């Protein structure tokens, strides 16, 4: 894709994936022919894979990032999430460059970069969220409450990607649109009080049989 190559490496003579040291030697040979690449090592039984990508930064040694997948023990969800970073739609084609594809690989497989970026963005969002909190005067309490709310929302984002919330991977977004349509577009506070609080405390805190009759229509099917 735009000069970025994905290669499959077949197993060794014993039908197994080569050892890590051998995988690194193979990668160095591949890099001479295709600098930007991803190598997928597979065993003979097609049950185990190792996805290898290398982070190269000026003045730093090459950092080998490997993601292992075993069909007998893993669901593959973690791998699917990585693949989403290197999936490109037809609408991306016109402006897509080698750099754009390479950045997709980096976002998918460079854990250090993703972790740092996450905390940088979290800090920005946390600071912005503080400005919307009314009724709490102590700064320490305000910061604690902002962290609590953001952690809860991140948890919801995580489980919605697993299709646990009404089998909808865009659950929060779609519920926000639904509440806006019913209650008014300019009332985010209504979304918080009318929907989020009920989701947190009644939806996640009660068995389906214990919930109010009108809650299923509001929340959908949630665990």
């Amino acid at each position: 894709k735009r000069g970025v190559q994905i290669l499959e490496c077949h197993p060794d003579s014993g039908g197994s994936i080569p050892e890590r040291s051998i995988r690194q030697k193979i990668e160095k040979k591949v890099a001479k022919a295709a600098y930007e690449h991803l190598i997928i090592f597979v065993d003979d039984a097609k049950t185990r894979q190792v996805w290898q990508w290398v982070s190269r930064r000026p003045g730093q040694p090459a950092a080998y990032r490997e993601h292992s997948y075993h069909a007998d023990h893993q669901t593959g969800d973690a791998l699917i999430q990585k693949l989403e970073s290197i999936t490109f739609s037809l609408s991306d084609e016109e402006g897509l460059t080698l750099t754009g594809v390479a950045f997709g690989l980096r976002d998918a497989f460079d854990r250090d970069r993703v972790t740092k970026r996450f905390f940088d963005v979290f800090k920005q969002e946390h600071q912005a969220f503080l400005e919307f909190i009314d009724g709490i005067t102590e700064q320490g309490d305000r910061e604690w409450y902002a962290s609590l709310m953001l952690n809860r929302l991140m948890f919801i984002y995580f489980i919605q990607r697993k299709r646990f919330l009404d089998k909808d991977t865009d659950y929060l977004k779609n519920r926000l649109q639904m509440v806006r349509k019913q209650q008014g577009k300019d009332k985010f506070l209504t979304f918080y009080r009318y929907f989020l609080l009920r989701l947190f405390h009644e939806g996640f805190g009660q068995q389906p049989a214990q919930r109010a009759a009108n809650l299923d229509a509001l929340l959908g099917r949630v665990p």
Side-chain angles (χ1 to χ4, degrees):
K1 190 68 169 178
R2 298 298 189 271
V4 178
Q5 296 192 34
I6 298 182
L7 305 103
E8 178 183 342
C9 183
H10 297 289
D12 59 22
S13 58
S16 300
I17 292 176
E19 296 295 327
R20 180 178 175 84
S21 60
I22 302 299
R23 295 199 298 268
Q24 292 183 1
K25 291 180 180 179
I26 292 173
E27 191 281 328
K28 291 177 181 177
K29 292 288 187 181
V30 169
K32 295 179 181 179
Y35 185 77
E36 296 288 356
H37 62 270
L38 173 71
I39 304 177
I40 307 169
F41 297 88
V42 297
D43 65 355
D44 192 50
K46 303 289 186 182
T47 58
R48 182 168 174 254
Q49 303 173 11
V50 175
W51 293 57
Q52 181 200 72
W53 177 82
V54 179
S55 173
R56 291 184 174 86
R57 298 180 183 177
Q60 298 182 16
Y64 288 82
R65 311 299 193 196
E66 293 190 337
H67 178 86
S68 298
Y69 168 66
H70 200 303
D72 293 338
H73 308 298
Q74 295 171 277
T75 63
D77 287 349
L79 182 57
I80 290 172
Q81 290 179 4
K82 292 181 181 296
L83 291 177
E84 289 178 348
S85 294
I86 52 173
T87 299
F88 305 99
S89 66
L90 289 175
S91 60
D92 297 327
E93 281 296 313
E94 185 175 351
L96 191 62
T97 64
L98 183 150
T99 301
V101 179
F103 279 175
L105 279 175
R106 182 175 298 174
D107 286 344
F109 291 94
D110 196 345
R111 295 185 297 269
D112 293 342
R113 175 186 170 90
V114 172
T115 300
K116 182 180 184 301
R117 188 178 66 179
F118 167 79
F119 282 110
D120 287 344
V121 174
F122 181 86
K123 184 178 179 180
Q124 295 172 8
E125 296 295 340
H126 185 274
Q127 186 62 38
F129 194 74
L130 284 173
E131 304 299 324
F132 292 96
I133 297 177
D134 293 325
I136 302 177
T137 57
E138 292 292 333
Q139 182 66 14
D141 292 341
R142 288 165 58 86
E143 292 178 354
W144 172 83
Y145 190 74
S147 297
L148 175 68
M149 288 300 302
L150 289 174
N151 285 333
R152 285 179 171 177
L153 290 172
M154 286 191 295
F155 171 73
I156 295 174
Y157 270 98
F158 173 75
I159 64 174
Q160 78 177 8
R161 297 296 292 176
K162 299 287 186 179
R163 303 181 69 87
F164 291 158
L165 300 178
D166 208 37
K167 296 184 178 181
D168 185 357
T169 56
D170 289 316
Y171 178 81
L172 275 183
K173 177 182 177 181
N174 291 334
R175 294 289 152 167
L176 174 60
Q177 293 175 347
M178 181 189 77
V179 172
R180 280 179 168 176
K181 184 177 180 180
Q182 294 176 352
Q183 304 292 325
K185 294 183 178 181
D186 299 327
K187 299 180 180 179
F188 181 78
L189 189 61
T190 300
F191 181 68
Y192 168 75
R193 291 176 173 169
Y194 179 75
F195 179 80
L196 284 179
L197 287 182
R198 299 197 71 185
L199 174 65
F200 293 153
H201 299 291
E202 297 175 68
F204 293 148
Q206 296 178 343
Q207 295 290 336
Q210 299 173 314
R211 298 171 189 165
N214 66 340
L215 197 60
D216 285 343
L218 177 65
L219 304 183
R221 297 184 62 182
V222 300

